[in-house]
Amino acid sequence: MSMPPRFPITADQITLVVNQFYAAVRANPEIGPIFAKHVTDWPSHESKIAGFWRNAILFERSYDGNPMQAHMRTGNVRPEHFDIWLGLFDTILVKNLPTDTAASWSALAHRIGRGLRYGVEPTEGPPTLT
């Protein structure tokens, strides 16, 4: 038995948002170069991320990955980059989806973003003895 979606949206709408979002990312002077350093196959990346969102929203089981590890492994993703990411994402949501759907997806993205941001926060090591 499958679960109902978190909110009303289609797989095609998810793909549209993901594709437009990454077009905006590539054009962004601050986060575009960060993504470009790590993403060599944009269609494959976009397909994987669309699968992530279909899993998170439609409860499909089409995504196999660990976003936290992926973001931590990059070495150049900083906490402040998530504000830019979420701002771009919200713009794309509002442009392409009904208001309630955009708001629901935005809330989910911000919740996930907070977790990912926490994962790349600098941690203080143990105090050094002087």
Side-chain angles (χ1 to χ4, degrees), residues 37-49:
K37 183 175 179 182
H38 302 285
V39 178
T40 56
D41 180 351
W42 283 101
S44 175
H45 181 73
E46 290 172 14
S47 177
K48 182 172 188 159
I49 301 308

Side-chain angles (χ1 to χ4, degrees), residues 16-35 42 53 80-97 102 105-106 109-110:
L16 174 71
V17 165
V18 168
N19 292 347
Q20 288 196 10
F21 168 69
Y22 282 112
V25 162
R26 287 191 293 274
N28 184 279
E30 292 183 71
I31 64 173
I34 295 166
F35 277 86
W42 283 101
W53 286 116
E80 61 271 16
H81 296 144
F82 288 93
D83 292 335
I84 299 165
W85 184 99
L86 289 165
L88 286 175
F89 200 71
D90 284 343
T91 299
I92 299 301
L93 292 174
V94 168
K95 178 180 158 193
N96 290 285
L97 299 173
W105 193 350
S106 174
H110 281 257

Side-chain angles (χ1 to χ4, degrees), residues 51-127:
F52 168 83
W53 286 116
R54 286 192 315 274
N55 182 61
I57 300 167
L58 302 177
F59 300 103
E60 285 186 8
R61 295 293 168 235
S62 58
Y63 175 76
D64 179 28
N66 185 324
M68 181 67 78
Q69 278 187 344
H71 288 87
M72 290 174 71
R73 213 174 25 239
T74 64
N76 64 344
V77 174
R78 304 281 175 256
E80 61 271 16
H81 296 144
F82 288 93
D83 292 335
I84 299 165
W85 184 99
L86 289 165
L88 286 175
F89 200 71
D90 284 343
T91 299
I92 299 301
L93 292 174
V94 168
K95 178 180 158 193
N96 290 285
L97 299 173
T99 304
D100 290 349
T101 302
S104 295
W105 193 350
S106 174
L108 179 61
H110 281 257
R111 191 165 68 240
I112 291 168
R114 277 192 298 277
L116 294 175
R117 173 187 217 135
Y118 179 76
V120 300
E121 288 280 351
T123 55
E124 293 188 27

